[in-house]
Amino acid sequence: MEQVIRFALLGFGLGALYSLASQGLVLIYRGSGVLNFAHGAIGMVGAYIEWQVSVVHGAPYAVGVIAGVATSALLGALTHLVVMRQLRRASPLARVVATLGVLITLQSLVVIKYGSDVQFVRSSLPTKAIHLGGSVVISEDRVILLAIAAVLTVVLWALYKYTRFGLGTAAVAENERSAATLGWSPDVIATSNWALGSGLAGLAAILITPIVTLQVTVLTNLVIAALAAALVASFRSFPIAFVAAIVIGVAQTELTRYAHQPGLGSSVPFIVIVVVMVLRGQGLPLRDFFLQRLPAIGNGRVRPLYVIIGVAIGAILLSTTSPTWIDAITISMGTALILLSIVVVTGYTGQLSLAQYAIAGFGAWICGRLVAAHGWPFWAGAIAGVIGTVPLGVAFVLPAARTRGINFAVVTLGLGTALELMLFDNSSYTGGFNGTQIKSPHLFGADIGAITHPTRYGFLTLAVLTIASLVIANVRRGRSGRRLIAIRTNERAAAALGISVPSAKLYAFGLSAALAAAGGILLAFRNTSITYTSFTSFTSITDVAWAMIGGIGYIAGPIFGSTLATGGLGTAVSDSIFSGLAKYVALIGGVSLILLVLQNQDGMAKEMGNQLRWVGGKLSKRVPFLRAKPPKPLVLPPESRAKVPPRTLEVTDLTVTYGVTVAVDHVSLTVRPGRILGLIGPNGAGKTTFIDAVTGFARATSGEMKLDGNSINGWSVVQRSRRGLSRSFQSLELFEDSSVIDNLRVASDPRDTLSYLRDLVYPVQPVLPGEVVAAINEFGLEDTLQSKVEDLPYGQRRLLAIARAVATRPSVLLLDEPAAGLGDVETAELARLVKRLATDWGMSVLLIEHDMNFVMSVCDEIVVLDFGRKIAEGNPAEIRNNPAVVAAYLGESEDELEEDREFETSGGGTPSSEVLAPIPAMTEDVR
């Protein structure tokens, strides 16, 4: 027992340092809403500065610490001012990738300056042992570290709870615009928090170097343990982050001592990350006040001429260059396969994965061990490696199935690093200290070894890359591609259309895992000895950078991005031009990534495509066959206006609460086939929350919801949609990256799972249902079908949002403020369309709208909410003259309204009945 206590006390010091770093992450997140993956690298720079000042130049320790902390703080402030401030309106993906660019840049600079060798640093703190009884002792430095962390936790807690600066940070975290109107500068707040948080990272790195040594990658990975503690604290609470960090530190030291599984102790932070994400099942509270723009994506169209030219260039280079150049080209092509997997999972699905290189290593491990230890032929081992990695990819996404963006990145980084520590760094699993020894691979009886026959091996890699690229192009053009793009753009809207978001994510990650495994196998079998320790988490991060530079949404992007891979074509070219330039490739890549995110996050592939089109346009004037062919016009099948299956929506005593706030309070109503029920009320009355609860986006606290007599309380959003319950959104929530026709197709496509497999080989476009064609004609969208949604005027976007909901062929349609922002003429036309959805199509329509003229002219019945309660129900005539309704819209009680009426009859004002006075129908044919 005493030994257990001794190791627990050792963990106190480690946990204290994790606490300092996690407090820094919390500061930066609270001040700017950015999860800083460069946090460890910024601290690492401070540690090297302290080492140079104190050890190399012999300055006092205190001077070195001050210099290191100040350097980290300055780097943090510059990171915000130069990079992050410019990305305030960018997507979370762009902001995270920017911090990865900072990480790569700083790490590359330190490697160039100081090298990557391990430096053993003596502790400058007192290390005298303190006896606590028996054999239990603790060194003074661990007590000091714990005290520093505890004191700083209390200071930070008090600073952010009681001071004006802390209140300003809280205000900015809540709403930047509102805080700015009150005199708080979001820039000043964010810069201060970046400096303070980065200074803490520097202090943590300086103090931890005597324990873990001074080494680039070790200090960079400090962010992982800090991230785990900050995650437990929800990036808000300093005391919780402190306690979590101490627990993680103690768990690491205990497991390192007693666990027989190598790497288990070091994997504790990653296990914590996964467990927290699974238990919470929700994303971090990202602050997102602006419309966010994601990187552009390609359309998946295959141009045979370009494919032939690309393959021919690759074949010529492989056939005519030296073995050194062939190996560089092979490395780039193998890396391109891994980057192609990032295109699928990040570019198409919008999920940032930081584990792709680790997954590639797992595929290589399966293949390598089967070939070396069990005598399998290379081709069989490769197939087994690719297939065997798919379940791992699916397993990776299961803990993150309900997360997205940054949260997904956190989980995958943790899982990938745990795989590295527990498998790749364990020599008993990888063939011993020298790795897995393999013979030269053979295919169809021919030796294709990269050392003996580099050209043959290069041709194999080129063939695999070409086939994989064509497969992903098929996916992009097919139904499965449309589902992935819908999820990438808007998961809520995708689920509302009946798309299973978790299933699509599982498919994307499984497919990307297969691609990564193929790349990992081809890279590993270039040598006769496979060293799995090369499959590091840091390389997973740099691969995301290369994919972003090449074009993360384009199939051609990996070709460009992979040239920056270590030992790849970019290295060979740079070495041939400037001797020794290869060591700067990573630095160039990091800086390029930052500049790209700031200036053009779409990548080189799109820019190259733009340039080719410009050149082609110039040449086409003289060379006719180069002229771009206009897109073929869409030929629509005949329309059909058959009535939908009649279904009745019954809601009884529905209540929705958020904490102590009652948003919807025992509301009951019935929406019948062929009729329109209006749901009105002042702002904040609970109307949209009611629709959210009925469609499954908000959890009903109590009450019963039935569709045709069947309870839907336990149904998911997808189940409700597929059973005929569809909705539009107040904020439209269209798929901006897609065309009008793709928005409609993704709503009307069959939801079969077979398409996920068929699209790999031959994507089939199902015929548009006649009802969808009727909706296209009804809403006047036939001339805009091939236009991008982002190019449409606002009125047409409104119509498209309703048409997309109708394209699911629902029996019950819930419309949330469909006329918002429309002019009088457009509103009148929309009223006629909505009326026909009920009368001609037989839909049960629930309409939320603030335009009383619109509501009174189309609704058969109206329900009025105020403060979440139903205060009136009846036909339009009854609602117009209902005193409770008039009082709700005037913001008065009925007693106050009666006093106003007495005043009005004495000639003192405008009659309040005019608030909802009888409103004539807009046109006779509306009713």
Side-chain angles (χ1 to χ4, degrees):
M1 185 63 187
E2 289 184 351
Q3 194 173 24
V4 173
I5 296 175
R6 286 175 58 192
F7 278 93
L9 294 175
L10 286 175
F12 281 174
L14 189 61
L17 299 175
Y18 290 163
S19 171
L20 293 177
S22 68
Q23 311 283 24
L25 279 175
V26 172
L27 285 173
I28 293 172
Y29 187 85
R30 289 180 61 165
S32 63
V34 174
L35 182 55
N36 180 23
F37 281 97
H39 194 62
I42 291 174
M44 175 261 300
V45 173
Y48 270 96
I49 294 296
E50 183 277 328
W51 175 77
Q52 184 171 13
V53 172
S54 301
V55 177
V56 178
H57 296 292
Y61 178 67
V63 174
V65 171
I66 293 173
V69 171
T71 300
S72 293
L74 178 61
L75 284 174
L78 289 175
T79 299
H80 170 71
L81 292 172
V82 177
V83 181
M84 305 313 300
R85 183 171 64 174
Q86 324 304 324
L87 297 174
R88 183 171 296 162
R89 302 193 182 194
S91 66
L93 173 63
R95 293 197 290 267
V96 169
V97 170
T99 66
L100 298 180
V102 174
L103 185 158
I104 296 169
T105 301
L106 293 179
Q107 182 159 317
S108 301
L109 284 170
V110 171
V111 169
I112 293 170
K113 171 67 176 176
Y114 298 103
S116 55
D117 294 336
V118 177
Q119 299 289 342
F120 294 94
V121 180
R122 294 176 55 188
S123 176
S124 296
L125 299 176
T127 56
K128 183 179 178 181
I130 300 175
H131 293 271
L132 302 179
S135 61
V136 178
V137 297
I138 184 173
S139 60
E140 290 183 351
D141 62 336
R142 304 300 169 105
V143 176
I144 293 172
L145 293 176
L146 185 62
I148 291 173
V151 170
L152 278 175
T153 298
V154 173
V155 169
L156 290 172
W157 172 79
L159 174 67
Y160 283 84
K161 186 173 180 64
Y162 296 112
T163 68
R164 181 174 171 80
F165 175 75
L167 295 176
T169 300
V172 170
E174 187 68 27
N175 190 306
E176 288 188 5
R177 289 181 174 178
S178 298
T181 61
L182 296 175
W184 297 105
S185 170
D187 272 340
V188 172
I189 293 291
T191 303
S192 301
N193 279 282
W194 269 88
L196 187 56
S198 298
L200 285 176
L203 179 61
I206 290 169
L207 295 175
I208 204 173
T209 49
I211 299 175
V212 301
T213 71
L214 181 63
Q215 189 179 10
V216 173
T217 55
V218 170
L219 293 177
T220 299
N221 289 335
L222 173 66
V223 70
I224 306 299
L227 180 61
L231 191 64
V232 173
S234 298
F235 289 84
R236 293 185 181 279
S237 173
F238 296 110
I240 294 177
F242 171 75
V243 174
I246 297 299
V247 171
I248 290 172
V250 171
Q252 275 194 286
T253 54
E254 294 288 359
L255 287 175
T256 300
R257 170 63 181 84
Y258 293 105
H260 299 293
Q261 171 64 45
L264 182 59
S266 301
S267 300
V268 168
F270 318 115
I271 297 172
V272 170
I273 288 171
V274 173
V275 170
V276 170
M277 284 296 190
V278 170
L279 292 179
R280 285 185 181 164
Q282 61 183 6
L284 298 177
L286 292 173
R287 301 205 304 275
D288 182 13
F289 303 126
F290 304 100
L291 180 64
Q292 297 173 342
R293 177 182 172 274
L294 292 168
I297 52 176
N299 55 22
R301 178 184 172 190
V302 176
R303 295 171 174 81
L305 179 61
Y306 290 172
V307 174
I308 293 172
I309 292 174
V311 171
I313 292 174
I316 291 171
L317 290 175
L318 291 171
S319 302
T320 59
T321 54
S322 66
T324 301
W325 279 84
I326 293 175
D327 186 57
I329 295 170
T330 302
I331 290 174
S332 287
M333 290 190 295
T335 303
L337 279 166
I338 301 174
L339 301 192
L340 190 61
S341 74
I342 298 175
V343 169
V344 172
V345 75
T346 304
Y348 289 171
T349 319
Q351 312 304 313
L352 178 58
S353 171
L354 298 179
Q356 293 307 105
Y357 204 66
I359 292 174
F362 186 77
W365 177 77
I366 292 177
C367 181
R369 298 309 299 162
L370 288 176
V371 171
H374 300 282
W376 284 39
F378 169 71
W379 65 267
I383 293 175
V386 170
I387 296 175
T389 307
V390 171
L392 177 72
V394 173
F396 265 45
V397 80
L398 284 175
R402 291 185 293 171
T403 64
R404 65 191 62 85
I406 292 176
N407 315 297
F408 193 91
V410 170
V411 173
T412 54
L413 179 61
L415 290 171
T417 308
L419 184 65
E420 175 191 347
L421 294 172
M422 298 176 66
L423 178 61
F424 300 154
D425 290 349
N426 189 343
S427 60
S428 61
Y429 294 154
T430 59
F433 181 77
N434 294 322
T436 298
Q437 307 300 312
I438 57 173
K439 297 179 180 179
S440 184
H442 286 67
L443 187 64
F444 304 123
D447 185 351
I448 58 168
I451 295 176
T452 54
H453 298 282
T455 299
R456 295 179 185 176
Y457 196 81
F459 272 111
L460 171 66
T461 308
L462 176 62
V464 174
L465 176 60
T466 302
I467 294 171
S469 299
L470 293 175
V471 166
I472 301 308
N474 288 340
V475 170
R476 172 62 184 92
R477 298 194 310 276
R479 273 182 277 171
S480 52
R482 280 195 292 273
R483 294 171 193 166
L484 299 183
I485 300 303
I487 291 170
R488 169 192 192 263
T489 309
N490 192 315
E491 289 188 17
R492 278 168 47 90
L497 297 176
I499 297 173
S500 174
V501 174
S503 297
K505 287 183 179 180
L506 290 174
Y507 170 76
F509 219 90
L511 178 58
S512 71
L515 292 168
I521 291 169
L522 290 170
L523 288 174
F525 274 75
R526 292 171 32 255
N527 303 306
T528 56
S529 176
I530 303 176
T531 306
Y532 295 101
T533 53
S534 62
F535 291 96
T536 64
S537 294
F538 180 74
T539 309
S540 293
I541 292 173
T542 56
D543 279 350
V544 171
W546 309 152
M548 193 80 178
I549 291 173
I552 207 164
Y554 292 84
I555 295 172
I559 306 297
F560 297 105
S562 63
T563 59
L564 294 170
T566 301
L569 190 58
T571 302
V573 172
S574 60
D575 274 346
S576 66
I577 299 174
F578 302 105
S579 178
L581 186 62
K583 69 178 183 179
Y584 296 100
V585 169
L587 174 61
I588 294 171
V591 174
S592 299
L593 180 60
I594 295 172
L595 294 176
L596 183 74
V597 173
L598 290 174
Q599 301 297 327
N600 178 19
Q601 58 180 287
D602 296 334
M604 295 172 62
K606 183 179 182 182
E607 189 61 32
M608 183 64 70
N610 292 338
Q611 295 299 322
L612 287 175
R613 279 188 291 273
W614 181 83
V615 172
K618 295 293 185 182
L619 293 177
S620 64
K621 296 177 181 179
R622 298 185 178 182
V623 186
F625 77 89
L626 290 178
R627 291 174 185 169
K629 297 180 180 179
K632 296 180 180 179
L634 287 173
V635 179
L636 299 177
E639 68 173 49
S640 171
R641 292 178 181 266
K643 288 195 173 185
V644 299
R647 290 190 175 93
T648 300
L649 174 66
E650 300 173 84
V651 180
T652 306
D653 290 331
L654 179 65
T655 300
V656 180
T657 59
Y658 298 106
V660 297
T661 302
V662 180
V664 178
D665 190 1
H666 293 88
V667 174
S668 300
L669 56 79
T670 301
V671 190
R672 298 178 176 84
R675 297 179 66 82
I676 302 175
L677 175 67
L679 185 63
I680 65 173
N683 286 328
K687 304 181 297 295
T688 297
T689 302
F690 179 88
I691 284 187
D692 284 344
V694 170
T695 53
F697 287 100
R699 187 177 66 87
T701 307
S702 63
E704 185 73 22
M705 295 172 285
K706 292 183 178 181
L707 188 62
D708 247 16
N710 300 311
S711 176
I712 64 173
N713 282 45
W715 292 4
S716 67
V717 175
V718 172
Q719 287 176 309
R720 300 182 196 204
S721 173
R722 293 183 180 181
R723 297 294 181 89
L725 189 64
S726 187
R727 67 170 295 178
S728 69
F729 292 89
Q730 182 178 346
S731 55
L732 301 184
E733 305 201 21
L734 296 168
F735 305 130
E736 302 286 337
D737 294 325
S738 302
S739 64
V740 172
I741 188 62
D742 278 345
N743 269 262
L744 298 173
R745 282 190 183 279
V746 78
S748 62
D749 280 342
R751 299 291 177 238
D752 61 309
T753 55
L754 180 62
S755 61
Y756 281 128
L757 297 177
R758 185 170 54 195
D759 284 348
L760 298 173
V761 181
Y762 184 70
V764 176
Q765 297 292 354
V767 177
L768 276 177
E771 296 87 349
V772 178
V773 178
I776 291 172
N777 296 329
E778 190 79 68
F779 289 90
L781 299 173
E782 55 270 19
D783 295 330
T784 62
L785 291 177
Q786 299 191 68
S787 301
K788 280 287 188 71
V789 171
E790 59 189 4
D791 298 329
L792 296 181
Y794 183 77
Q796 284 189 319
R797 291 160 64 87
R798 275 282 169 196
L799 294 176
L800 174 60
I802 302 173
R804 189 183 66 180
V806 172
T808 63
R809 288 159 285 174
S811 295
V812 181
L813 178 62
L814 290 71
L815 300 176
D816 194 353
E817 299 193 25
L822 299 182
D824 292 340
V825 175
E826 293 170 312
T827 301
E829 177 59 29
L830 178 61
R832 286 190 286 271
L833 293 174
V834 172
K835 191 66 180 177
R836 284 203 291 271
L837 292 177
T839 57
D840 297 351
W841 298 56
M843 293 183 185
S844 308
V845 180
L846 177 66
L847 172 69
I848 291 179
E849 186 53 64
H850 284 289
D851 188 329
M852 289 300 102
N853 194 20
F854 182 86
V855 172
M856 297 294 176
S857 64
V858 302
C859 292
D860 301 295
E861 298 175 86
I862 298 175
V863 171
V864 185
L865 299 184
D866 190 29
F867 292 106
R869 291 177 289 106
K870 183 168 75 172
I871 62 172
E873 181 176 12
N875 60 45
E878 294 169 338
I879 295 299
R880 288 190 192 104
N881 301 296
N882 189 304
V885 177
V886 177
Y889 273 88
L890 287 175
E892 298 179 342
S893 66
E894 292 192 44
D895 291 338
E896 291 172 326
L897 183 61
E898 186 61 35
E899 293 177 5
D900 290 343
R901 282 175 175 162
E902 293 176 2
F903 175 69
E904 290 155 3
T905 43
S906 64
T910 303
S912 58
S913 59
E914 290 186 7
V915 174
L916 291 175
I919 301 172
M922 288 181 281
T923 58
E924 191 63 26
D925 65 326
V926 169
R927 300 198 62 81

